[in-house]
Amino acid sequence: MNSDAASDFDFFILLAKLKSLSGAARALDLTPPAATKRLGLIEQRLGARLVNRTTRSVSLTPEGETYLRYALQISGQVREMEEAISGARTDPKGLLRVNATLGFGRTTIAPLVSEFAKRFPAVEVQFEVTDRPVDLVEGAFDLAIRFGELPDSRLSARRIMSNRRFLCASPKYLERFGTPEKIEDLARHRCIIHRQNDDAYGVWKYMRGDSIEALKVKGTLSSNDGDIVLRWALDGHGILIRSEWDLAKYVQSGRLRLVLPETVLPSADLFVYYPSQRNQTARARAFIDFLVERFRAPFVPVEVGKKRGGRKSPGL
């Protein structure tokens, strides 16, 4: 296979993922007319139309679906062959597209991308942060960094940090309103609600044995931003669910106390997701290994089992 054919395969795979000629042109640093001409030359060589074009997007014809299937297979085999021969003695290189959540991506992952770029200068990293999970295949991302369970069964995942969730509140809130003695007491307390994606509003889940139970809570404050609701809890406005990553330093300093610490909540482990392990590039593997190394011990775990202050709930 000559280099022109290999380049055409990569171009068409990207076009199929983005469903946009202008998007493929931007990703490859081409002008839109150059991308259109390149597609035309491929179709002319094959004697078949590969895509249906509109002003906004493209869709694959049956011939285009066949071309994409073989292009993915052949391109993947070429990558595997090249990395098997030269991967052990060359540094990772090429384009790596990474997605992460908005706040966590900005404050935590972006500095790590900076470190990674210094270690692997031949890797070009395109880093995007979004408030909602993205479709890795549709968005042509190599990997995404997210808290929580696998969002799509088509993806593979690697856990890079264990991260338990806890109920918590400030000492001044507990001194004023009392400490819940059992999970049902939360229904009578002021709860701060973190609205996330499509989760049911004000419904908190917890484990009872092997089953997941749900409890309806209420409060006067809610937000879709984790830093905001944490600040409200520190200010004494109510009880909040937050992860160990967010809580550890405040629990250790005494600014927050665990509430019902023996209650087990669904965890918020940190994962890196990727479309397939079979054709994973050396640069993607290097980035994932780098993250695992950096998150090996990111905080001192929250200590569970010690009873902390507060009086019994008087019932609100």
Side-chain angles (χ1 to χ4, degrees), residues 36-280:
T36 301
K37 181 179 180 181
R38 186 167 189 174
L39 175 61
L41 289 174
I42 297 172
E43 291 178 324
Q44 183 180 353
R45 187 178 71 247
L46 295 172
R49 191 173 79 251
L50 301 180
V51 301
N52 298 309
R53 303 173 221 187
T54 68
T55 55
R56 291 182 174 271
S57 65
V58 300
S59 61
L60 301 186
T61 64
E63 292 79 9
E65 295 282 0
T66 300
Y67 186 82
L68 176 64
R69 185 170 68 250
Y70 280 100
L72 286 167
Q73 179 181 346
I74 295 169
S75 182
Q77 289 174 341
V78 169
R79 266 198 313 273
E80 288 180 12
M81 177 268 293
E82 290 177 343
E83 291 183 7
I85 294 172
S86 62
R89 57 184 177 80
T90 60
D91 289 334
K93 58 185 177 180
L95 176 63
L96 181 69
R97 302 194 74 237
V98 180
N99 175 267
T101 54
L102 197 60
F104 185 74
R106 182 177 61 250
T107 60
T108 303
I109 302 301
L112 295 180
V113 170
S114 177
E115 285 187 46
F116 179 82
K118 292 175 184 177
R119 183 182 295 188
F120 300 103
V123 177
E124 177 191 350
V125 182
Q126 290 183 358
F127 180 52
E128 292 190 17
V129 292
T130 54
D131 58 349
R132 284 177 170 266
V134 297
D135 186 312
L136 267 65
V137 176
E138 290 286 335
F141 286 101
D142 295 286
L143 52 91
I145 303 151
R146 295 274 164 179
F147 289 101
E149 297 300 320
L150 190 69
D152 189 330
S153 59
R154 297 173 300 170
L155 302 178
S156 300
R158 182 174 174 184
R159 181 188 284 107
I160 58 178
M161 182 181 72
S162 295
N163 190 34
R164 298 170 295 174
R165 280 193 178 106
F166 292 100
L167 294 155
C168 66
S170 71
K172 55 187 172 184
Y173 174 85
L174 297 175
E175 287 163 8
R176 181 180 178 189
F177 296 106
T179 301
E181 293 291 307
K182 56 185 184 298
I183 193 74
E184 290 77 13
D185 291 344
L186 293 175
R188 300 192 299 274
H189 272 268
R190 302 179 183 190
C191 296
I192 301 169
I193 298 167
H194 183 199
R195 292 182 279 107
Q196 298 185 81
N197 300 329
D198 299 319
D199 290 350
Y201 181 82
V203 175
W204 285 358
K205 296 180 180 179
Y206 63 97
M207 304 299 298
R208 193 187 294 274
D210 294 329
S211 62
I212 298 178
E213 303 284 338
L215 178 72
K216 179 68 175 176
V217 298
K218 58 186 178 180
T220 57
L221 293 177
S222 68
S223 175
N224 65 337
D225 185 278
D227 290 336
I228 290 174
V229 294
L230 181 58
R231 172 55 56 188
W232 288 339
L234 289 165
D235 288 342
H237 287 287
I239 297 173
L240 175 68
I241 291 179
R242 289 308 286 161
S243 74
E244 196 169 16
W245 167 267
D246 298 303
L247 293 182
K249 63 182 179 182
Y250 298 112
V251 172
Q252 286 146 19
S253 69
R255 295 186 64 190
L256 289 174
R257 293 177 184 168
L258 299 186
V259 173
L260 301 171
E262 304 300 332
T263 299
V264 179
L265 306 176
S267 67
D269 293 350
L270 186 64
F271 289 89
V272 57
Y273 300 112
Y274 41 90
S276 171
Q277 191 165 10
R278 171 176 161 75
N279 294 325
Q280 199 175 70

